[in-house]
Structure formats: structure tokens, C-alpha cells
Amino acid sequence: MATIKDVARAAGVSTATVSAVVNDTAYVSPELRGRVLAAVRDLRYAPSLVARNLRSGRSQLIALAVADLANPFYARIVTAAEAAVAAWGYSLVLFNSDEKPDIERRILSRIRTLGCDGSVVVPVGPESHYQRRDFEGMPVVLLGRSIGDVGVDTVTIDNLSAGKQATNYLLDLGHRHIGSITGPIQLTTASGRLKGMLEAMAARGLAPKTGHVRSGEFREDTAYSVARDLLGQSDRPTALYVANGVMAIGVMRAVADLGLRCPEDVSIASTDTVAGAGGLKPRLTRTEHPVADMTNEALRMLVDRIEGKVAQPARNVVFQPALVVGESCSPLKAPAELT
């Protein structure tokens, strides 16, 4: 492999001149620049990123730790992140915690070992699991979920609004017996969406029946099992609010396997959707995350921290969800129609 000395020798210039041309750090006459570039091309010289990073004190690496790569929602985040970091001249290092706090702790340690300039993390543990020192030593932005006062920037969705919007839509259709398939309640995404649902119902003097709120753990198969049990009961709810898109797929499978029809027998509204859900019939009514915008904002905030452009205390940016009406919800049938 050619070195900078080889290029300098072939071009008849100093190594300092080669460095100035390659890194564009100083003026070099057109004649000398042409000789250097010709030598670089002929020798197939590639500057050492390791050496450059040692000089700059940066690795040009950004870590992204997502919660569950089996969930297509996070594939959308990864796609957006890869495009964003490349635009800023960084490379992405991807980690998957699989919704397990012990794996996440090892990931955070690994990120430091690699010398990443910063990281975007989708946290998977309860607030009590974290301390400020867990995120010391490099810029960090939390994406999608918050974990209290740990002194880092956060980009989230308004989960309370997501739960309220979906539930109010069902209420406006006349449903009063509404159940929910939630995520792990220790996560702010799950607790916020459930709180939004309960507040929407309470505002109309209603509450879910005992046993009509179940945890699907943000997993498709778990949601399938839970929904199959819930909807197989004689006092099943007439509508379900499902707290994320991957669980909604499991719920729709359960509806079909029970021989029920959506929305004729049960209306379903979810928060967010996933790749593949567009092929579901009927099309889901859901509240949508602006995933690309949230990911881009998280990385912009991170790069600002890495490059020292901001010094203010931790910031929290909250995006608003939007209700997208599909065909999975219908007005509650009047008693005469049920016979």
C-alpha cells in the first residue's frame, strides 16, 4: 500500500504539500496540486483514517443502539440514520439491545471501547436502571424513549397525545368498551400511551373493564397470544387500542384465527405502523410517528454536541403524532343491529 512518502517522491514535493492537497488545508499552486493528484491516482494512495483520527481526536463514528431489530419500526430508524450520518461525514456503528437492559449495559461499554464520538440510544430499561454516569464520557441523545433526569438530550413522540387521539377516535365512533394491548409499562412509550387512553376514557366518565388492558411486551407473538385470549372471551371489548405497530399485526392475526372480522366484530386502532402492515386488510387506523424527522433531529443534536456547537443543558424535543384513518374501525352497532 502506497504511503504519503511514496506520493511525495513520485510528485517531487514534500509530504507537507501532499497532506495540504489531500486534506485541503492550505493553498497549493495548480501545477503542484496537479502533480500530487496524478501521483495519488497512479499509486492508488488512500489516506489513513486511523492516523487522521488520531490527529483530530475523533473517530468519525456514531453509535446507534436500537431496542429490537426484529421490529421493522427500528429498520426505518436505521435507514434514516445511515443517510443522516453520511451527510455529516460520519459512519454508523449499529447495536441491538433486544429490549434487554443487561445487553444494553454491555453495548454502552462497547461504544466507549470503540471510541465512538457520540451515540444515539433507544433506552430499554426502567428509569431506576440508569444513572447519570451511564452516559458520561461522550455526547448521547436518547431517541423515542425518555428516562428521567440523566443530563442528556432527548427526542421523543408525544405518547400521551398518541393514546388520546386513537382512543378519542374510537369513542367518537360510539365505542364504550375499549381494551388495550400495551407495551412494557416501565417504558415511557408504553406508560404514556396507556395514560393517554385512560385519560380520554375518563374524560367521558368511562374506564376499561377489569382484564381488558393487557401487556403485549411490544412483541408480535406476545400480542397475538394476549389478544387471542382477550377476544375469545364472551365479554370481549368492542374496540382495541394497540400501543405499537408490530403488536397490531399480531392482534390482526388473532382476530382472523378466532374467526372474527375487523372492524365488524372488533375495531382496532394502533400507534404507528410497520413495513408490511400496509398489506393488511383492512388498513389500520393509527397515529403515525414522523420517524425520519425524529431520527434526523436526534443526529443533528448529537453532531452539534460532538462539534461543540451547543453548551446549554440537556434539551428535550417532542414531536407530535398524526392520526391516519384507515378501515380498521367502524361505528359501534346499535343493539338492534347486534341480533
Side-chain angles (χ1 to χ4, degrees):
M1 179 177 285
T3 68
I4 191 170
K5 290 182 179 179
D6 296 329
V7 175
R9 190 179 303 112
V13 299
S14 67
T15 56
T17 299
V18 175
S19 177
V21 171
V22 170
N23 297 308
D24 198 22
T25 55
Y27 173 78
V28 177
S29 70
E31 189 268 333
L32 288 182
R33 178 178 292 274
R35 282 160 49 187
V36 169
L37 292 177
V40 166
R41 184 170 55 254
D42 293 343
L43 296 173
R44 298 183 180 179
Y45 170 67
S48 170
L49 284 177
V50 173
R52 183 183 298 176
N53 293 340
L54 286 173
R55 290 193 300 270
S56 68
R58 294 182 186 164
S59 66
Q60 299 302 118
L61 298 176
I62 286 177
L64 172 63
V66 298
D68 179 13
L69 272 178
N71 183 340
F73 173 82
Y74 292 107
R76 294 163 64 194
I77 289 179
V78 173
T79 299
E82 285 179 329
V85 298
W88 278 303
Y90 291 83
S91 296
L92 191 70
V93 183
L94 180 62
F95 297 92
N96 175 35
S97 65
D98 197 33
E99 296 283 8
K100 295 180 174 62
D102 57 331
I103 294 179
E104 179 185 69
R105 191 168 292 280
R106 293 197 294 271
I107 286 172
L108 293 176
S109 176
R110 179 63 174 157
I111 289 171
R112 293 188 184 91
T113 301
L114 288 172
C116 295
D117 294 329
S119 61
V120 172
V121 178
V122 179
V124 299
E127 288 192 9
S128 60
H129 180 75
Y130 302 94
Q131 300 179 40
R132 278 179 173 258
R133 67 170 178 263
D134 294 327
F135 302 104
E136 291 175 347
M138 76 174 70
V140 177
V141 176
L142 303 181
L143 176 60
R145 302 170 181 173
S146 59
I147 52 176
D149 184 18
V150 290
V152 299
D153 296 326
T154 304
V155 176
T156 61
I157 193 78
D158 188 338
N159 292 293
L160 188 75
S161 176
K164 281 186 175 181
Q165 286 187 55
T167 305
N168 277 325
Y169 182 74
L170 293 170
L171 289 166
D172 290 344
L173 291 174
H175 293 279
R176 295 298 178 263
H177 299 298
I178 302 173
S180 181
I181 309 297
T182 73
I185 209 63
Q186 73 270 18
L187 300 178
T188 54
T189 42
S191 60
R193 292 168 198 176
L194 178 59
K195 184 179 180 182
M197 172 200 171
L198 296 177
E199 286 189 4
M201 294 186 71
R204 307 198 195 195
L206 301 170
K209 287 184 177 181
T210 302
H212 280 193
V213 175
R214 310 278 188 91
S215 176
E217 300 298 326
F218 281 157
R219 305 279 192 176
E220 179 182 343
D221 288 344
T222 305
Y224 169 85
S225 298
V226 169
R228 185 165 181 137
D229 179 64
L230 176 57
L231 296 175
Q233 297 178 1
S234 59
D235 67 339
R236 67 173 182 259
T238 63
L240 282 178
Y241 167 55
V242 186
N244 82 347
V246 73
M247 290 197 302
I249 294 177
V251 172
M252 295 289 275
R253 284 173 46 215
V255 169
D257 287 353
L258 286 168
L260 299 175
R261 299 166 301 163
C262 175
E264 291 87 351
D265 298 312
V266 58
S267 290
I268 297 172
S270 73
T271 284
D272 206 52
T273 188
V274 295
L280 289 176
K281 299 297 181 184
R283 187 170 57 93
L284 277 172
T285 291
R286 73 272 184 193
T287 57
E288 281 277 17
H289 289 54
V291 175
D293 291 343
M294 291 174 65
T295 304
N296 289 336
E297 179 65 11
L299 286 161
R300 184 194 65 78
M301 293 168 71
L302 183 67
V303 171
D304 282 350
R305 291 287 187 190
I306 291 171
E307 298 181 354
K309 296 178 180 178
V310 291
Q312 66 259 43
R315 301 159 293 174
N316 183 25
V317 176
V318 180
F319 282 78
Q320 290 299 315
L323 182 68
V324 179
V325 177
E327 296 88 34
S328 62
C329 302
S330 65
L332 182 67
K333 292 180 181 179
E337 297 178 86
L338 296 175
T339 60

